[in-house]
């Protein structure tokens, strides 16, 4: 429910994932809005399930406040599905700060990791992807956090992309105005 045109792009993406990638999809959000959007399309036989969430965290919401007050938000409900093993992945186009705070609170943290980080996988000319950790989520990372991000990126590259001995580098693009 995170895009400006929600739930239309989310529903279209779910249909594509179910149809072309054979993914089983759980759409989380206000059930009636999701049903209306699904009714406009041919979804016969597609593995798409609905999970009601009565609240939505908008881009205008304060992440910290929304996480505390919107306990039935689509982000919170989806995060619980992941934590409880009902879902195996979680895609959101919504408020990144709220997503990160919710993931930390609901799913918990790996021992030894102080802060979650977003990961992006980028294709390369050589064919093997490059994993970039913390793609803009944290603006005040300590040296310890950078080391933790490096370890997470190395493990992700080894396990997900089967790169036997990934190299780790540090990229700094300066700072953003606040």
């Amino acid at each position: 429910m995170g895009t400006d045109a929600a739930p239309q792009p989310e529903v279209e993406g779910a249909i594509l994932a179910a149809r072309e990638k054979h993914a089983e999809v759980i759409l989380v959000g206000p059930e009636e809005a999701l049903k209306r959007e699904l009714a406009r399309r041919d979804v016969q036989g597609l593995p798409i399930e609905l999970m009601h969430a009565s609240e939505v965290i908008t881009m205008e919401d304060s992440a910290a406040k929304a996480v505390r007050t919107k306990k039935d938000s689509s982000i919170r409900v989806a995060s619980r599905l992941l934590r409880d093993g009902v879902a195996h992945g979680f895609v959101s186009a919504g408020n990144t700060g709220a997503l990160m705070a919710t993931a930390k609170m609901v799913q918990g943290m790996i021992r030894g990791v102080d802060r979650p980080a977003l990961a992006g996988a980028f294709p390369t000319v050589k064919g093997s992807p490059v994993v970039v950790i913390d793609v803009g989520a944290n603006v005040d990372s300590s040296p310890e956090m950078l080391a933790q991000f490096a370890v997470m990126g190395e493990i992700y590259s080894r396990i997900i992309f089967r790169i036997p001995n990934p190299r780790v580098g540090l990229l700094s693009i300066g700072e953003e105005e606040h």
Side-chain angles (χ1 to χ4, degrees):
M1 296 304 295
T3 64
D4 291 339
Q8 184 244 338
E10 290 81 353
V11 168
E12 287 181 8
I15 292 168
L16 283 171
R19 187 172 285 137
E20 295 179 14
K21 304 298 182 187
H22 309 288
E24 295 178 24
V25 176
I26 304 170
L27 275 169
V28 180
E31 191 169 10
E32 288 307 311
L34 294 172
K35 281 181 179 179
R36 275 192 307 274
E37 199 61 43
L38 282 169
R40 298 179 192 175
R41 294 163 175 79
D42 177 23
V43 295
Q44 184 87 20
L46 291 179
I48 298 176
E49 180 183 336
L50 300 182
M51 178 64 66
H52 180 67
S54 62
E55 298 173 296
V56 174
I57 296 174
T58 69
M59 294 296 195
E60 290 74 36
D61 285 333
S62 156
K65 184 178 178 187
V67 169
R68 287 192 310 274
T69 61
K70 294 188 175 183
K71 299 200 185 296
D72 197 45
S73 69
S74 55
I75 289 175
R76 176 76 72 98
V77 172
S79 193
R80 283 196 301 257
L81 292 173
L82 187 61
R83 177 198 65 201
D84 297 342
V86 176
H88 301 285
F90 178 6
V91 177
S92 174
N95 184 317
T96 304
L99 176 67
M100 298 295 280
T102 300
K104 184 175 181 178
M105 182 172 32
V106 173
Q107 296 165 29
M109 296 291 293
I110 297 170
R111 191 172 16 96
V113 175
D114 296 323
R115 189 178 291 177
L118 297 174
F122 296 89
T124 67
V125 174
K126 292 182 179 180
S128 64
V130 170
V131 176
V132 178
I133 301 291
D134 192 41
V135 290
N138 296 296
V139 294
D140 58 349
S141 299
S142 67
E144 292 79 19
M145 286 180 211
L146 293 175
Q148 293 166 9
F149 297 162
V151 170
M152 289 189 288
E154 191 271 345
I155 292 169
Y156 190 94
S157 294
R158 264 191 301 110
I159 293 173
I160 301 301
F161 295 119
R162 293 181 167 77
I163 299 171
N165 192 21
R167 291 184 312 158
V168 176
L170 178 64
L171 170 67
S172 176
I173 59 168
E175 64 181 60
E176 299 175 19
E177 291 185 30
H178 292 48

